[in-house]
Amino acid sequence: MSETRQDREMEGDRHPQATPQGACSPEDCGSCQEAAKGTCPLGHERTESDEPHPDKGKSAIEKLPQSQFNDIRHVVAIMSGKGGVGKSSVTALLATAFARQGYSVGVLDADITGPSIPKMFGIKKRADSFEFGLLPVQSETLKIPVMSINLLLPHEDDPVIWRGPIIANVVKQFWTDVVWGDLDYLFVDLPPGTGDAPLTVMQSLPLDGIVIVSSPQDLAVMVVKKAIKMARILKTQLLGLVENMSYVMCPHCGAKHEVFGPSRGQAVSGATDVPLLATLPLDPKLSELCDRGRVEDYESDVLMSVVDFIVKIVDHIEKLKAREAKA
């Protein structure tokens, strides 16, 4: 390694976004793309593996195929740029609502470092495996198959201390190596933020769309808009917006209190052109059921209308894709 390159790598350590470490690739260096052959104007060294290949960029974002044991017809991710807005509870409630409507559903917990789905469904059994893959664990009441990293750890409070590429590979394996079987809908609970796991899911899984979860707080709205922009940059369909913790109903007088400020759901929907699916209350009963692992016992008429909307829009998107494929 030349002294000049070492200097550049040390500089890259101090400013990781300004100068990529090691030899650059055509994908991450615009100057290299301009220089078809020869030396990069920025002094990056090209290795044999970095030579332009017509399929290199394409293969990096190819959708992963389903396992031969699976027939999953629709995949819907639940996302929020900000943590603490109740994204996982919305995921669990949507899966429960769809199951009650007679759809066969599963839940893929892609929140590798903060998994909460098994706890909400009261699942304590560890996932089994056999020679062809991993077997998800079914919930007790509605028999919803769930796969989460917490079902593979010795203890539910064991931390997962992994870097992004490992997390991304685990998320991919939850799609390729888990025997989900025959499902109408697979719901994917994404972690907060716009990092490796959401990026992997949007690039590698055949998503039908994303449901965005927000709350009335200005801070939450600002961060959630980042998630919406990320989905659009990656050309992922936005199915709608759920404003969670929108209000609290007084158990004594029935008065409605907006404890996190006035609802912003309609305004955000208008500003981002994402349909508002529902505004959900901050309900102590839901929190209690989630803590007891009985989220399937929670009933909400609001979510039933969300089920109908998502089914209709997913069917519409599917027909459009079929029409485009024939054209």
Side-chain angles (χ1 to χ4, degrees):
M1 183 183 295
S2 68
E3 183 178 350
T4 301
R5 182 172 168 181
Q6 284 181 332
D7 292 343
R8 287 198 302 274
E9 289 194 359
M10 293 176 63
E11 183 67 20
D13 289 339
R14 290 191 292 270
H15 306 287
Q17 293 183 348
T19 306
Q21 283 192 333
C24 60
S25 66
E27 285 77 16
D28 56 24
C29 176
S31 297
C32 282
Q33 294 175 37
E34 294 297 325
K37 291 184 178 180
T39 305
C40 170
L42 296 181
H44 294 147
E45 296 174 8
R46 184 183 295 277
T47 64
E48 185 177 353
S49 61
D50 295 322
E51 290 299 323
H53 188 284
D55 294 331
K56 187 173 181 181
K58 180 181 177 182
S59 62
I61 56 173
E62 279 184 346
K63 302 295 183 185
L64 294 171
Q66 291 194 36
S67 157
Q68 60 177 317
F69 303 104
N70 296 338
D71 183 11
I72 303 171
R73 286 171 282 286
H74 300 294
V75 185
V76 175
I78 292 79
M79 183 182 189
S80 174
K82 188 178 181 307
V85 299
K87 169 186 51 56
S88 295
S89 62
V90 170
T91 303
L93 292 175
L94 281 175
T96 300
F98 270 73
R100 285 205 184 105
Q101 293 271 26
Y103 295 99
S104 57
V105 303
V107 179
L108 190 163
D109 189 355
D111 194 346
I112 304 300
T113 57
S116 55
I117 292 294
K119 173 76 173 177
M120 291 180 178
F121 282 95
I123 298 175
K124 297 179 180 177
K125 180 184 174 185
R126 292 189 66 194
D128 291 327
S129 62
F130 70 130
E131 60 182 313
F132 298 111
L134 289 166
L135 294 171
V137 182
Q138 289 188 338
S139 64
E140 182 179 337
T141 304
L142 296 171
K143 308 302 179 188
I144 296 173
V146 172
M147 178 50 70
S148 168
I149 193 66
N150 253 20
L151 302 179
L152 303 173
L153 297 175
H155 308 98
E156 67 174 9
D157 56 357
D158 287 344
V160 173
I161 310 172
W162 294 340
R163 295 191 183 278
I166 299 177
I167 290 174
N169 282 333
V170 171
V171 172
K172 289 178 182 177
Q173 286 183 287
F174 280 178
W175 170 256
T176 57
D177 296 358
V178 173
V179 181
W180 294 101
D182 188 353
L183 293 180
D184 293 317
Y185 286 86
L186 178 67
F187 292 95
V188 182
D189 185 34
L190 295 176
T194 53
D196 290 278
L199 180 61
T200 298
V201 169
M202 288 189 203
Q203 288 186 326
S204 304
L205 270 59
L207 291 180
D208 289 86
I210 289 178
V211 173
I212 298 288
V213 181
S214 183
S215 71
Q217 298 163 281
D218 280 344
L219 178 61
V221 170
M222 182 271 290
V223 180
V224 163
K225 286 181 178 177
K226 292 177 182 287
I228 293 174
K229 289 182 178 180
M230 176 186 184
R232 287 187 167 139
I233 289 171
L234 294 173
K235 302 185 185 307
T236 303
Q237 183 72 39
L238 290 161
L239 300 178
L241 169 73
V242 173
E243 185 179 77
N244 197 24
M245 307 177 185
S246 186
Y247 57 89
V248 173
M249 297 297 292
C250 176
H252 302 292
C253 65
K256 185 175 177 179
H257 300 282
E258 296 175 320
V259 294
F260 292 122
S263 172
R264 302 284 305 278
Q266 201 62 58
V268 174
S269 172
T272 59
D273 199 25
V274 177
L276 179 63
L277 300 179
T279 55
L280 301 179
L282 179 61
D283 191 345
K285 182 181 178 183
L286 174 60
S287 300
E288 179 191 348
L289 289 173
C290 287
D291 287 344
R292 292 170 49 201
R294 305 295 304 173
V295 69
E296 294 168 289
D297 293 345
Y298 188 79
E299 295 189 11
S300 170
D301 293 337
V302 175
L303 287 171
M304 292 303 168
S305 61
V306 174
V307 172
D308 292 338
F309 183 89
I310 291 178
V311 169
K312 287 178 182 176
I313 194 168
V314 167
D315 286 346
H316 179 67
I317 293 169
E318 191 174 40
K319 290 176 182 175
L320 287 178
K321 288 181 178 177
R323 194 180 303 165
E324 290 174 0
K326 289 181 179 178

